[in-house]
Amino acid sequence: MFKNYFKVAFRNLLRHKGYSLINISGLAIGMTACLLILYFVNYEKSYDRFHKNSDRIYRLRYERSDQAGGAVRFASCCPPAGLRIRQKFPEVEKVVRLFRYKAAVSNQDDRSLSQPGNNFIEERMYFAEPGLFGIFKYAFITGDPLNGLKEPNTAFVSESTAKKYFGSRNPMGQILSVDKKTSYRITGVFKDIPPNSHLKFDILLSYQNLLQKFGKDVEDSWGDSGWYTYLLLKPHTDIKTLEKKIAALVEAEFGEALRQYKLTCELPLQPLNDIHLTSHYMLEFENNGDRDTVNFLSILAVFIIVIAWVNYINLSTARALTRAREVGLRKVSGASRSQLMMQFFSETVILNFFAALFALFLVILFLPLFRQVTGTPVEYGIWAQPWFWLTVFTMFVVGVFFSGLYPVMALTSFQPVTVLKGKLGNAARGISLRKALIVFQFVMALAMLISTFTVFRQLQYMKNQELGFRLDNTLVIRAPRVRDASFGSRLQTFKELILKNPEISHFSVATDVPGKQVWWDAGGITRKGADDNKNYQIVGIDYDYIPLFNLKMVAGRNFSREFPSDSSALILNETASQWLGFPGSAAAIGQQVDYWGKMYTIVGVLKDYHQQSVKQAFEPHIFRFMPTGRDVRGLFVLKMNAQNTAPNLVEIKKQFDEFFPGNPFEYYFLDEYYNQQYQSDELFGTVFAIFSFLAIFVTSLGILGLSSFMVAQRTKEIAIRKVMGADVPGIALSLAKDFLLLIILSFVIALPVTYFGIEHWLESFAMRMSLSVGLFLLPLLLVILITGLTISLHVIKAAMNNPVDNIRDE
């Protein structure tokens, strides 16, 4: 019996190829969009969950606040916190600390490098305590993961890093040189860190060398930050109680100093599994994801598949007229309603099955492009994920019953006598349900179009804002890390030689450039005679920084060679001037500032500029005169002629290698670097736009289904109108009124919901666009246009038929 059901169902679908193709395509596109969105969502949610005890691992952060409520929130912590917690709190099973260290690294024997004559700046290198692999379950290849870093001058390297420096040679026992100063013997090799880890490292150095570098007194420095601290808690530890105990520890050991500087300090615990989607603090390892974006895309995935199921209901209902006589004949022949339901459900099963197969084909086809757009790594394979196959199975099963139930119930409810006469009951309940479904689709289409336009308008608005500095044609080179006593004189000669090139107009040395939050944060800075205390961001610059970026002075002057005392001078931005309590920029000039017990004189005030994207508010910046950068963290900044970039780069590299041998030549262009800040917003906009238009396409199939149903019901009305002299446009317009009313109703529903959603989203931007009427009306007009074109296909076809043929049945 079941075999016969499926055989008849399959023949039925083949007999009506156009209907079957539309249904299968609509369902397949909805399933594909849903699966691809969930692929991205599940990847974002998978961060750090591969660790065995990820639910018991917490990161200890550092937050410092001043009297005015200004706070600095770090992803890292202070060095003594982890040490004291390890010693005093038994509910903490393990503690590990890391310190990030960017440096020039080379194989001690340069001839064995995989790229002879080169060395590398390692961005993912850390000093780490030996217990790291006792908390994090990264795969280890060779060596002792728990004890291999206990001795000074030892190092672990990743598998790919070992190949980079040693090729096919065994890396164990080999030597790496860091900044040409310290040699480290490799005692372990680990597999490359998975891409869905918030903590990624290529080289780990012994923590003992960090203590040698800074001195053991650093272990008592509660004011420092930069130590990433992770705790593995014992099962069933009460987090709130532990945080109170940590607060009491801070008060006991650091409270007096905090009160002296009028500061407060907190060390909150952050769950490991929450870091990637919720953590956006200073000194993050990399840009993290966004939980709101992930949740919003999850909702979008559900809406798209529901829209596809709704389309199936509308299309199946539209076909009811063509199946009415079939149902009537089957009932007259003795078929029961349950048998008819099985027959029609068989068609639904076959159709959903082919839709699922087609969806899997589309996933294979578009997955590489989707990965490229979203940046999802190849290593996160979609086919090996249990959730993927569970989702496919769930969509198939739910789709069969959800999308098939109403059409099957409607088809099997026809009365034989009525349908054999060619009539189909025009039940108000059925019409109301179909209209409600199409209103739902219109609401979704309008909401997604409005949201898509808003995202791109806001991005365009931000990029068109005046940044307050010149971004174009700016080359940034990492300053040499390998230095000796002659570095200052060599730098001056190098600078003079570079500036002889007529294609290069400016050369500056600085600790930071625009594009990211300034890494150098300092409290304990007050106006002379004041006792307030706030946190400021410090930028070390030279004479040429301000003219290179074309920054505007609102009061005072730039650092100048005519004033040798500028080594004890400061330049503020407008926000820092306000924070220090000066009534105006001019009032700050000549005033003194207590900077950690040393008096500095303010010589200038800069107009605020956007150090970070315009999404962020202005922050207080203090500029110090540092002609060679700070320590070894400086940057060389050059303003170039854009016409001859390639030959200029070749010449600059040649001179750099000559003056600073043993240092990698690493550079970037500031406009590309600065615009990286918009990548997450652009990604959200792109992904949202792609799937919004896919949802609208699927919605148009739903419109096609409803218009087909309405035109089929009103065929005789169209014929009579035509006989009475009505033209085709007039007939089309009269039938389109129903859809226009549905669109207007949908717009009324979508408008307040979308408006408040957009307002909530825009609250995260310091500079945001204003909402205009056109932003809402344009999607409305677009939906009306798409609907009109879709309806016209059926209406024109029906109106062009011979009216005699349509009336003859009666």
Side-chain angles (χ1 to χ4, degrees):
M1 181 180 294
F2 288 105
K3 181 180 179 181
N4 182 63
Y5 285 147
F6 282 102
K7 184 183 293 186
V8 174
F10 191 72
R11 289 172 179 171
N12 235 325
L13 293 176
L14 287 178
R15 189 178 301 118
H16 304 281
K17 296 182 181 65
Y19 158 81
S20 301
L21 181 62
I22 291 175
N23 258 326
I24 290 173
S25 299
L27 286 171
I29 292 172
M31 293 173 74
T32 302
C34 182
L35 288 170
L36 289 177
I37 292 175
L38 292 180
Y39 172 64
F40 174 75
V41 166
N42 276 275
Y43 172 71
E44 289 293 292
K45 289 184 175 181
S46 73
Y47 267 70
D48 299 307
R49 295 181 185 272
F50 56 87
H51 294 295
K52 181 179 179 181
N53 298 310
S54 63
D55 60 325
R56 293 196 285 125
I57 301 175
Y58 287 76
R59 182 169 72 178
L60 193 65
R61 294 196 305 99
Y62 185 80
E63 295 186 0
R64 189 173 65 239
S65 303
D66 56 41
Q67 286 178 311
V72 184
R73 298 178 173 89
F74 293 94
S76 56
C77 195
C78 48
L83 181 63
R84 301 296 191 274
I85 289 172
R86 179 188 293 146
Q87 295 168 344
K88 297 186 177 184
F89 298 152
E91 60 266 53
V92 179
E93 190 173 311
K94 294 179 181 178
V95 178
V96 67
R97 294 174 294 172
L98 303 93
F99 185 87
R100 195 170 193 171
Y101 190 63
K102 300 178 184 180
V105 178
S106 63
N107 186 313
Q108 190 151 293
D109 179 7
D110 286 342
R111 292 172 300 175
S112 65
L113 280 169
S114 58
Q115 299 183 36
N118 290 338
N119 52 20
F120 306 90
I121 292 288
E122 293 292 347
E123 299 277 355
R124 294 176 174 176
M125 183 165 65
Y126 297 84
F127 291 101
E129 291 186 308
L132 177 66
F133 287 90
I135 292 181
F136 296 102
K137 302 305 179 184
Y138 298 112
F140 216 78
I141 298 175
T142 183
D144 184 349
L146 299 180
N147 300 302
L149 290 181
K150 283 188 174 180
E151 299 298 323
N153 301 100
T154 54
F156 291 163
V157 296
S158 68
E159 188 175 17
S160 60
T161 301
K163 291 179 180 178
K164 179 170 73 172
Y165 286 102
F166 306 106
S168 60
R169 295 169 57 190
N170 182 4
M172 294 293 287
Q174 301 291 335
I175 304 297
L176 287 178
S177 176
V178 177
D179 283 342
K180 297 291 185 182
K181 294 178 180 178
T182 310
S183 296
Y184 292 84
R185 178 173 54 87
I186 296 176
T187 57
V189 180
F190 53 88
K191 282 191 173 294
D192 291 346
I193 304 301
N196 55 342
S197 171
H198 86 282
L199 170 59
K200 300 180 179 72
F201 45 83
D202 296 317
I203 300 177
L204 296 174
L205 307 176
S206 171
Y207 192 81
Q208 296 298 319
N209 288 87
L210 180 67
L211 296 181
Q212 293 175 7
K213 181 179 180 64
F214 291 117
K216 290 190 176 182
D217 289 345
V218 76
E219 296 280 52
D220 297 316
S221 179
W222 286 89
D224 281 343
S225 58
W227 272 251
Y228 297 92
T229 305
Y230 293 88
L231 315 178
L232 176 63
L233 306 185
K234 291 182 179 178
H236 313 300
T237 298
D238 187 285
I239 303 302
K240 296 295 182 184
T241 301
L242 178 58
E243 286 186 324
K244 289 179 181 178
K245 293 175 68 174
I246 293 174
L249 173 67
V250 172
E251 169 59 29
E253 300 219 6
F254 194 35
E256 185 177 344
L258 288 170
R259 284 187 289 276
Q260 178 183 348
Y261 289 100
K262 296 181 173 58
L263 296 172
T264 60
C265 175
E266 295 181 14
L267 305 181
L269 288 170
Q270 185 176 25
L272 178 70
N273 293 337
D274 291 349
I275 290 176
H276 177 67
L277 292 180
T278 64
S279 191
H280 307 281
Y281 303 106
M282 289 185 68
L283 301 184
E284 293 284 0
F285 296 118
E286 57 187 32
N287 292 328
N288 286 321
D290 181 75
R291 175 170 287 175
D292 289 340
T293 299
V294 166
N295 290 339
F296 196 80
L297 290 175
S298 300
I299 295 171
L300 178 62
V302 174
F303 279 144
I304 289 176
I305 191 61
V306 170
I307 286 172
W309 289 334
V310 168
N311 283 349
Y312 179 81
I313 295 172
N314 281 331
L315 288 167
S316 299
T317 307
R319 271 202 71 217
L321 281 176
T322 65
R323 306 293 299 273
R325 285 191 177 88
E326 176 190 345
V327 173
L329 287 172
R330 285 177 180 272
K331 283 192 172 183
V332 169
S333 301
S336 66
R337 188 174 188 185
S338 61
Q339 289 174 321
L340 289 172
M341 290 180 68
M342 287 299 300
Q343 178 63 60
F344 293 127
F345 258 119
S346 299
E347 293 183 19
T348 304
V349 169
I350 292 174
L351 195 142
N352 275 270
F353 177 74
F354 281 110
L357 289 181
F358 189 29
L360 292 176
F361 169 75
L362 292 177
V363 169
I364 294 172
L365 185 64
F366 291 108
L367 186 58
L369 178 62
F370 183 74
R371 281 174 172 154
Q372 184 178 352
V373 171
T374 60
T376 310
V378 176
E379 293 90 338
Y380 188 73
I382 190 171
W383 311 109
Q385 304 300 322
W387 68 261
F388 176 79
W389 297 108
L390 180 62
T391 303
V392 172
F393 177 76
T394 302
M395 284 195 296
F396 172 74
V397 173
V398 175
V400 167
F401 286 96
F402 177 78
S403 62
L405 184 61
Y406 176 73
V408 168
M409 295 295 290
L411 283 168
T412 58
S413 66
F414 297 152
Q415 297 299 317
V417 175
T418 304
V419 297
L420 288 175
K421 286 182 178 181
K423 298 179 180 179
L424 183 63
N426 194 17
R429 184 173 58 182
I431 293 174
S432 299
L433 177 60
R434 287 190 292 274
K435 287 185 177 181
L437 293 175
I438 207 67
V439 165
F440 168 79
Q441 290 178 303
F442 279 139
V443 169
M444 290 299 100
L446 287 165
M448 286 185 282
L449 274 176
I450 293 169
S451 300
T452 299
F453 290 166
T454 300
V455 171
F456 282 101
R457 280 275 304 276
Q458 174 63 18
L459 284 172
Q460 200 61 37
Y461 174 83
M462 290 192 297
K463 290 187 174 181
N464 289 337
Q465 292 303 300
E466 179 60 45
L467 297 176
F469 67 94
R470 285 183 58 191
L471 187 67
D472 59 314
N473 306 328
T474 305
L475 176 72
V476 182
I477 305 170
R478 293 188 185 278
R481 295 191 60 88
V482 180
R483 301 183 179 185
D484 56 25
S486 64
F487 173 76
S489 60
R490 281 190 289 121
L491 171 59
Q492 185 60 36
T493 306
F494 173 70
K495 181 176 180 179
E496 292 170 358
L497 183 63
I498 292 297
L499 288 174
K500 287 181 180 179
N501 185 340
E503 303 290 332
I504 300 173
S505 60
H506 293 85
F507 184 124
S508 177
V509 181
T511 59
D512 270 291
V513 292
K516 285 186 180 179
Q517 189 171 38
V518 175
W519 61 266
W520 188 2
D521 168 80
I525 300 174
T526 62
R527 187 175 46 148
K528 184 180 180 181
D531 60 355
D532 59 335
N533 192 356
K534 300 182 179 69
N535 295 290
Y536 298 87
Q537 294 176 10
I538 314 301
V539 183
I541 65 173
D542 62 5
Y543 302 115
D544 303 290
Y545 186 89
I546 290 174
L548 185 149
F549 285 109
N550 198 27
L551 302 177
K552 306 300 181 185
M553 302 291 302
V554 294
R557 60 173 177 84
N558 184 19
F559 295 126
S560 173
R561 293 178 178 83
E562 298 178 4
F563 296 91
S565 61
D566 277 357
S567 59
S568 296
L570 299 176
I571 295 174
L572 314 177
N573 70 348
E574 291 176 297
T575 300
S577 175
Q578 294 167 9
W579 278 38
L580 282 168
F582 296 110
S585 299
I589 304 303
Q591 300 298 315
Q592 289 194 311
V593 172
D594 185 339
Y595 190 123
W596 293 359
K598 181 179 178 181
M599 302 308 295
Y600 285 77
T601 302
I602 300 171
V603 298
V605 177
L606 283 173
K607 183 176 179 59
D608 282 334
Y609 65 90
H610 290 283
Q611 170 69 28
Q612 300 180 78
S613 76
V614 296
K615 186 175 181 178
Q616 309 296 328
F618 292 120
E619 294 182 308
H621 292 158
I622 294 178
F623 299 86
R624 289 180 55 181
F625 180 65
M626 293 181 175
T628 60
R630 183 176 185 263
D631 299 330
V632 291
R633 305 184 189 187
L635 300 167
F636 295 167
V637 192
L638 289 73
K639 187 68 71 174
M640 302 173 60
N641 185 336
Q643 303 299 321
N644 300 304
T645 299
N648 284 334
L649 274 175
V650 172
E651 181 61 27
I652 293 169
K653 182 181 185 307
K654 178 182 176 182
Q655 298 297 337
F656 184 92
D657 291 340
E658 180 180 335
F659 276 86
F660 310 108
N663 285 281
F665 180 75
E666 293 194 357
Y667 68 92
Y668 54 84
F669 288 95
L670 190 61
D671 54 350
E672 298 173 0
Y673 176 77
Y674 192 87
N675 288 328
Q676 286 178 357
Q677 299 174 98
Y678 301 110
Q679 281 183 347
S680 61
D681 293 311
E682 288 175 341
L683 172 62
F684 172 67
T686 302
V687 172
F688 191 76
I690 291 171
F691 291 108
S692 293
F693 282 104
L694 274 179
I696 291 165
F697 174 74
V698 176
T699 298
S700 68
L701 294 178
I703 298 168
L704 185 70
L706 187 57
S707 63
S708 173
F709 178 82
M710 293 182 67
V711 169
Q713 280 196 319
R714 301 173 69 174
T715 301
K716 290 183 176 62
E717 176 190 338
I718 293 171
I720 293 171
R721 284 175 178 269
K722 193 171 183 183
V723 169
M724 299 299 291
D727 56 9
V728 174
I731 294 172
L733 183 61
S734 68
L735 294 179
K737 288 179 182 177
D738 290 339
F739 284 95
L740 184 60
L741 290 174
L742 293 178
I743 293 174
I744 298 301
L745 175 61
S746 303
F747 182 72
V748 171
I749 296 172
L751 183 60
V753 176
T754 311
Y755 176 82
F756 287 112
I758 289 172
E759 281 289 332
H760 175 72
W761 182 68
L762 289 174
E763 285 176 1
S764 62
F765 296 86
M767 298 190 69
R768 46 160 289 180
M769 67 178 191
S770 57
L771 298 181
S772 62
V773 176
L775 188 68
F776 298 91
L777 290 183
L778 183 60
L780 175 63
L781 295 176
L782 186 58
V783 168
I784 291 174
L785 176 62
I786 293 172
T787 304
L789 291 174
T790 306
I791 295 171
S792 64
L793 296 175
H794 287 297
V795 175
I796 293 173
K797 180 181 178 181
M800 295 298 290
N801 288 338
N802 189 339
V804 175
D805 295 333
N806 292 333
I807 302 174
R808 182 180 299 162
D809 290 339
E810 207 55 55

